């Protein structure tokens, strides 16, 4: 093994050492990591407003349909 393995930073594309010494791996720096994770979290926040569509027709479940 010679030298750390370099991986492209997911944010800026610069080669970043992928090793325990690089605490921001696979990012090249704390800045890139925070920016990237921040953008990710913000996108995650915008949950589409679904589920409150209302006006759901009742199920055709009539027990009186059965002949007694
Ligand atoms: Zn970077």
């Amino acid at each position: 093994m010679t030298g750390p393995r370099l991986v492209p930073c997911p944010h800026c594309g610069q080669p970043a050492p992928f090793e325990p010494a690089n605490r921001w791996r696979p990012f090249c720096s704390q800045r890139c990591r925070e920016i990237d994770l921040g953008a990710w979290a913000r996108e995650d926040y915008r949950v589409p407003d679904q589920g409150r569509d209302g006006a759901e027709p009742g199920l055709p479940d009539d027990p009186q349909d059965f002949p007694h």
Side-chain angles (χ1 to χ4, degrees):
M1 294 267 200
T2 53
R5 197 160 72 99
L6 293 177
V7 295
C9 170
H11 183 70
C12 70
Q14 284 194 65
F18 194 83
E19 58 176 354
N22 177 16
R23 54 189 298 201
W24 315 119
R25 68 190 185 281
F27 299 90
C28 70
S29 63
Q30 177 185 13
R31 186 181 166 82
C32 278
R33 183 175 179 269
E34 286 184 348
I35 291 175
D36 204 79
L37 294 185
W40 194 85
R42 233 174 291 126
E43 220 166 284
D44 201 43
Y45 250 99
R46 287 172 31 186
V47 179
D49 200 73
Q50 282 180 350
R52 281 184 70 50
D53 230 299
E56 181 159 327
L59 293 171
D61 184 29
D62 197 351
Q64 291 177 357
D65 221 22
F66 288 96
H68 206 64

